Amino acid sequence: MTVVKPLHRTRKKNRAGLKYFLIAIPFSVFVFAFSYVPLFGWIFSFYDYNPALKFSQLHFLGFDNFVKIYAERSEVFRILRNTLAMSFLNLIFAPLPLIVAIMLNEIKSSKFRKWIQTSTTLPHFISWIVVFSLSFSIFSTSGLYYTLLKNLHLSVPVIGLLGNNDAAWFFHLGLGIWKSLGWGVIIYIATIAGIDAGLYEAARIDGASKFGLMRHITLPGLAPTFFVLLLLSVSNLLNNGFDQYFVFYNSLVADKVEVLDYYVYKTGWIINDYSYATVLGMLKSIISIILLFSVNYLSKKTRGESLV
């Protein structure tokens, strides 16, 4: 027996679908303009690009710029070392927002909980330029930290923390955690809010302690979100960002903070080798896509769910 839907319901559904489609158009145009249109610029990797010349006047190089990567492999390996080191350090501390979210959820005082959540989330909205200004005021050789050491008659390092090459990775790791921790906690707090409260009530009736509730209900409820975020982080191993390393870059720590994003910028805008910078950007995008589909395949095999 065929069920015929009322005409007014069909029209209402079509109007709702059209409304959502119109809402999505500006975002689709934005993504297309800034994510897909620039891909046409990849063609310049095969030419000796000069902004002053027309495209027809450019000298065709073929795969010379790709071969250049092998010729400068020592420099490329150094950049990849810095990039992957920072990415793996961030992966090691990936469970930190989850742990903080669980601890924050156990705080009974709503005012204190909101204060902690606000204070940890606020750095996410602070520009890296402002973060550098604060860091310079505290950790430079004339800053608050070293002035305090002098006043306490303690040994003061000759080179400030901003110029300490040995501590550069861990210093930037700390800044990254401080800036992004609160935002990650929000995601896990929202996930905890979505866990069925009846599970907690049933566990309490069975005599479960607070740690038992965390172990058997909260952690399993957060696990899917954690693994999705972790797999996405793996697929973005080559994406460390640019702003942080751009503002903190100096000659003393250049060997450790020069990541792939900054190296592409330096090659294109400082050295003015636009074609080679395009090649580096291409390879970064291609490797990121390969990583994304690899972790997507891994997600299907381990979790039975796809990321994309």
Side-chain angles (χ1 to χ4, degrees), residues 126-201:
I126 299 177
S127 168
W128 276 111
I129 298 176
V130 178
V131 174
F132 172 76
S133 300
L134 293 173
S135 301
F136 187 84
S137 301
I138 297 173
F139 298 111
S140 66
T141 52
S142 59
L144 177 64
Y145 174 69
Y146 291 94
T147 302
L148 184 61
L149 290 179
K150 292 176 184 177
N151 292 336
L152 294 176
H153 303 289
L154 300 175
S155 60
V156 180
V158 178
I159 300 177
L161 191 56
L162 297 179
N164 191 333
N165 190 55
D166 296 330
W169 285 348
F170 300 100
F171 177 67
H172 285 279
L173 173 67
L175 289 176
I177 292 175
W178 171 75
K179 200 170 186 301
S180 63
L181 178 64
W183 188 256
V185 169
I186 287 178
I187 297 174
Y188 290 112
I189 287 291
T191 306
I192 292 175
I195 299 176
D196 187 4
L199 296 175
Y200 290 100
E201 292 298 329

Side-chain angles (χ1 to χ4, degrees), residues 4-41:
V4 180
K5 294 183 179 180
L7 184 60
H8 71 278
R9 289 187 179 179
T10 304
R11 290 177 176 175
K12 186 177 181 180
K13 185 177 180 180
N14 291 338
R15 286 197 299 268
L18 178 62
K19 180 177 66 174
Y20 294 138
F21 174 74
L22 294 175
I23 292 174
I25 285 178
F27 301 99
S28 301
V29 172
F30 178 85
V31 171
F32 179 78
F34 291 95
S35 298
Y36 291 97
V37 172
L39 295 180
F40 291 103

Side-chain angles (χ1 to χ4, degrees), residues 32-285:
F32 179 78
F34 291 95
S35 298
Y36 291 97
V37 172
L39 295 180
F40 291 103
W42 283 9
I43 195 173
F44 294 119
S45 62
F46 300 98
Y47 291 85
D48 184 11
Y49 179 69
N50 188 332
L53 300 178
K54 295 181 180 179
F55 181 76
S56 58
Q57 297 175 321
L58 298 178
H59 177 62
F60 182 74
L61 297 177
F63 289 94
D64 289 355
N65 285 316
F66 294 86
V67 176
K68 188 177 180 180
I69 292 180
Y70 179 77
E72 299 185 1
R73 57 187 179 277
S74 59
E75 182 72 3
V76 174
F77 286 152
R78 181 181 67 85
I79 301 303
L80 289 177
R81 179 203 66 185
N82 296 337
T83 304
L84 294 176
M86 292 304 306
S87 295
F88 280 118
L89 284 174
N90 284 313
L91 286 178
I92 292 174
F93 286 90
L96 188 58
L98 181 146
I99 296 172
V100 174
I102 293 176
M103 296 175 64
L104 195 61
N105 188 61
E106 295 300 320
I107 297 177
K108 298 302 181 182
S109 174
S110 60
K111 290 184 178 180
F112 185 56
R113 183 170 63 247
K114 289 179 180 178
W115 179 82
I116 294 178
Q117 192 168 353
T118 302
S119 60
T120 54
T121 307
L122 185 61
H124 176 77
F125 301 99
I126 299 177
S127 168
W128 276 111
I129 298 176
V130 178
V131 174
F132 172 76
S133 300
L134 293 173
S135 301
F136 187 84
S137 301
I138 297 173
F139 298 111
S140 66
T141 52
S142 59
L144 177 64
Y145 174 69
Y146 291 94
T147 302
L148 184 61
L149 290 179
K150 292 176 184 177
N151 292 336
L152 294 176
H153 303 289
L154 300 175
S155 60
V156 180
V158 178
I159 300 177
L161 191 56
L162 297 179
N164 191 333
N165 190 55
D166 296 330
W169 285 348
F170 300 100
F171 177 67
H172 285 279
L173 173 67
L175 289 176
I177 292 175
W178 171 75
K179 200 170 186 301
S180 63
L181 178 64
W183 188 256
V185 169
I186 287 178
I187 297 174
Y188 290 112
I189 287 291
T191 306
I192 292 175
I195 299 176
D196 187 4
L199 296 175
Y200 290 100
E201 292 298 329
R204 290 191 184 95
I205 293 174
D206 289 339
S209 62
K210 283 189 176 181
F211 289 102
L213 295 175
M214 294 180 196
R215 179 182 176 184
H216 297 290
I217 299 177
T218 306
L219 279 177
L222 293 176
T225 302
F226 172 75
F227 282 113
V228 168
L229 294 177
L230 181 64
L231 291 174
L232 289 175
S233 298
V234 172
S235 67
N236 283 286
L237 282 177
L238 298 181
N239 296 317
N240 295 115
F242 169 75
D243 299 355
Q244 177 180 0
Y245 304 99
F246 176 74
V247 297
F248 281 92
Y249 183 89
N250 62 71
S251 59
L252 295 176
V253 296
D255 183 56
K256 291 292 184 69
V257 303
E258 198 169 346
V259 295
L260 187 56
D261 288 320
Y262 182 85
Y263 185 61
V264 172
Y265 158 79
K266 186 181 78 171
T267 304
W269 290 100
I270 298 179
I271 304 177
N272 294 327
D273 193 348
Y274 302 105
S275 301
Y276 185 51
T278 303
V279 171
L280 293 172
M282 283 177 59
L283 292 181
K284 174 191 169 184
S285 300

